[in-house]
DNA sequence: CATGAATGAGGCTTCATTCAT
DNA sequence: AATGAATGAAGCCTCATTCAT
């Protein structure tokens, strides 16, 4: 029957409802300062209900990161597989893709960066953790493909493609964090887009074989 | 009198004693998981005493970051002012300086990056906050000087030197965080030094006027 | 009409279905650690349905104890009324009856003993409580009858039969609890049957007029 | 200095203060229904302070049981070692000793019996658990010694002394539980002492070689 | 009747900070 | 100055019970 499906959909909708609320609160206060009650109030659900959909605070947070990682991977795959573009164009497209990912959910991505390395803090179920690691690995892999392509074509310098991908990714995440931290001091100015553009240009020039 | 001075020195020594202990514990457990009691035990002082030298947990942590920032600034100034080196050499020297800073206290610097933007978490006194911001600004400024020098000499591309400095700094901090997070998954491999080297090379190539 | 009856029977069947499931879970986890959801899953019914048949968790538990008490009373009556046996034989038969009751549902009887006196925990409806008390009283009464018989026949020492019944019952329940608690430490050894046998023999000797 | 000692004594006094309060509340409401806040209010200390002296609710409860077990063991040793008494007299003395233990803290002993077998419920540190098990074992051992003595002297029937000790102990604990549960129904009447007396007499007669 | 999602009160525990000694 | 016991607010999470469908 459609009844099963409807229930399924409603359940999914609830999950989303919670995630939307959680995103707002996490973005506003960060992971540590956000309480489950904050989220319950924002979502207009009881705290108990939150635990019906997410095992604990950390998995709720992780689910938000997960969504971003999914989106990131999709965008990267899209760029990587684009048959019309050459490696140089793809690097440029990469910049836009990464910026879009950031733009899709600016504050959660920042929180995510904060937590991504402090896994000691996180008490995620191994399954979720593995999935997230897998997704990260894949994302880096997609970027590496582009570098590999350029190297194979003799356009890019002969460096380890994964190391190049790590560098580019680090530059991106580092900039997001850094510009965000500057914006706290001076909220009016947002240089992320322009600095990102410059950094990517420099990077693109830097890997080109002279 | 000498008595005053001695007291002053003793007080400073105590501060250092606490900071050394705090560094060990923060490095081991991270900011959030570290308790004041952990630090009191490590320092062999009572929790009450901790509060005689530091207003609260956050200022104690900040003081550690502060020390790193001081060291960073000194190293950067050193490179920047080196009369014998050309801009290109200075960029290379920058890499070593930054790596040394990281090496001086690897884990605290990581913790610092985690917290640097999430000032929602931090409840620092404005004075300390200002000092830290000032120091960061100066550090970026020193790096920018190098870029300016290269631009003036027509060796580097004509980009905003502060934006270049931000990019380089972001790349550095991003890599530290990223490689650290990878090491959690696979603790045996430490690619920071080599990836950092590659990234700086790429950056150096990228800003050179062709 | 027959329809009414069928409904009645079906209702009773559902009750039994729940009780069977509840027994399994309570036996496994004890009263406090068992959740209504555990029971709902075991019974393949929803939690809501559980509340259609039992006012609350405590009455569901009580209903299980009730069933045991019923069985106990039946067995005791059977022994007590046995026309062929003399009082001494009946005491021996008592041992088997009590052990059978225990064997019928070892873990629930243990849980029951745990809760029987801590009525602070139990929030039973007075009606159920009264019924249970009545059944206990009757059980003790049946045992007392045997003692009375022996006293009347001049075979047993002249003691208050109810006090003797209390003593015997206490010895039985005490042993069940105690041997169970020992089995937690050393699960391989089960001395209940043999120790029970010894204890009953001692008791039987002890009440015999020399 | 005496200063250290005084502090030590004060600390011990605090512990006692908490235990006294806890005993009152546990006795009144039982383990499950007692909250740490109840105890904090009764002791006029904050909940936090409770955790300074006891790792958790369960260890606080265990410490009460522990005290009883200590007292029990001392009393049993005393009886067992009494050089003037013969085995039969010692059995009689045992009754008084056990009753005194019960009288020392009637309600906690009842709670203790409730929990002693449901160790699934208890989350004690292995150390404490071991100590308690050890103490129980020793207590049973002391009783067994008396039986052994009687057997060696040819006064008692030739049964396993440990099994006899288990039986006697079970009879005692069973009676305490059972009489307590009867008192809930009819609080005015307290038959424990007299029934205990009868039961011990029966037991004493029962183990005597005819 | 049956469902099971939603509720929300309430429990245990932690820990930064204070303050009497 | 140093201590460290005491505080108590606050957080996370569980679970018996209800109620709209």
């Amino acid at each position: 029957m459609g009844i099963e499906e409807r229930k399924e959909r409603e359940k999914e909708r609830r999950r989303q409802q919670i995630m939307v609320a959680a995103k707002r609160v996490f973005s506003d206060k960060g992971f540590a300062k956000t309480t489950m009650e904050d989220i319950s109030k924002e979502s207009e659900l009881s705290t108990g209900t939150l635990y019906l959909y997410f095992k604990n605070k950390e998995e709720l947070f992780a689910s938000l990161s997960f969504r971003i990682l999914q989106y990131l991977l999709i965008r990267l795959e899209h760029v990587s597989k684009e048959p019309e573009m050459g490696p140089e164009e793809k690097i440029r497209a990469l910049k836009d893709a990464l910026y879009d990912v950031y733009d899709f959910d600016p504050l959660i991505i920042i929180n995510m960066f904060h937590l991504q390395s402090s896994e000691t803090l996180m008490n995620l179920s191994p399954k979720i953790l593995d999935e997230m690691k897998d997704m990260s690995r894949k994302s880096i892999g997609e970027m590496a493909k582009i570098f590999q392509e350029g190297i194979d074509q003799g356009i890019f310098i002969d460096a380890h493609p994964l190391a190049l991908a790590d560098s580019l990714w680090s530059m991106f995440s580092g900039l997001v964090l850094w510009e965000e931290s500057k914006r706290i001091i001076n909220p009016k100015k947002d240089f992320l887009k322009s600095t990102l553009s410059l950094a990517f240009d420099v990077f693109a020039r830097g890997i080109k074989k002279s």
Side-chain angles (χ1 to χ4, degrees), chain A:
Chain A
M1 297 281 123
I3 227 167
E4 286 280 299
E5 283 165 26
R6 186 165 51 83
K7 281 208 170 169
E8 207 53 47
R9 251 179 302 135
E10 295 232 326
K11 199 166 175 174
E12 187 50 32
R13 193 168 314 178
R14 249 314 186 254
R15 242 185 100 87
Q16 293 304 326
Q17 177 188 353
I18 293 169
M19 283 170 76
V20 167
K23 174 187 147 177
R24 269 200 289 268
V25 189
F26 279 133
S27 291
D28 192 30
K29 308 180 142 192
F31 178 79
K33 287 245 173 150
T34 294
T35 72
M36 290 304 270
E37 212 197 330
D38 290 336
I39 298 171
S40 88
K41 274 179 184 155
E42 181 73 27
S43 65
E44 296 181 323
L45 291 166
S46 70
T47 54
T49 304
L50 266 33
Y51 285 87
L52 248 37
Y53 294 87
F54 299 92
K55 220 185 70 195
N56 54 40
K57 186 184 168 185
E58 284 166 336
E59 293 221 358
L60 172 48
F61 182 83
S63 74
L64 295 174
S65 308
F66 195 75
R67 215 175 39 167
I68 303 261
L69 285 176
Q70 272 181 313
Y71 181 56
L72 170 69
L73 182 54
I74 288 168
R75 291 296 308 255
L76 291 178
E77 282 173 343
H78 202 255
V79 172
S80 160
K81 282 171 185 158
E82 178 62 65
E84 306 281 296
M85 290 183 186
E88 283 189 282
E89 271 179 291
K90 283 185 181 174
I91 299 291
R92 274 194 294 279
L94 223 49
K95 180 187 70 185
D96 294 329
L98 290 177
Y99 187 80
D100 284 353
V101 170
Y102 164 77
D103 211 40
F104 176 63
D105 201 343
L107 293 163
I108 277 297
I109 214 175
I110 287 160
N111 271 298
M112 194 181 107
F113 287 149
H114 283 162
L115 287 177
Q116 75 177 173
S117 67
S118 61
E119 269 161 306
T120 14
L121 249 173
M122 298 303 272
N123 197 12
L124 301 174
S125 65
K127 189 174 152 275
I128 294 217
L129 204 58
D130 281 348
E131 281 174 351
M132 291 186 65
K133 283 172 184 171
D134 191 49
M135 213 165 266
S136 294
R137 195 169 35 233
K138 277 181 186 156
S139 295
I140 293 290
E142 288 301 324
M143 289 194 271
K145 273 186 202 165
I146 300 174
F147 291 116
Q148 186 67 61
E149 204 183 322
I151 295 163
D152 291 344
Q153 295 181 18
I155 303 170
F156 291 168
I157 58 168
D158 194 25
H160 197 312
L162 277 176
L164 289 173
D166 281 337
S167 300
L168 194 62
W169 172 250
S170 296
M171 203 173 70
F172 167 68
S173 60
L175 266 169
V176 166
L177 248 41
W178 181 241
E179 292 295 330
E180 168 65 17
S181 89
K182 288 201 302 177
R183 197 156 24 183
I184 289 168
I185 306 169
N186 192 349
K188 285 165 294 185
K189 301 196 176 170
D190 179 3
F191 291 126
L192 178 58
K193 199 158 194 176
S194 61
T195 308
L196 209 54
S197 224
L198 171 60
F200 267 74
D201 287 348
V202 167
F203 198 90
R205 286 175 57 94
I207 56 171
K208 203 158 44 172
K209 231 174 195 159
S210 50

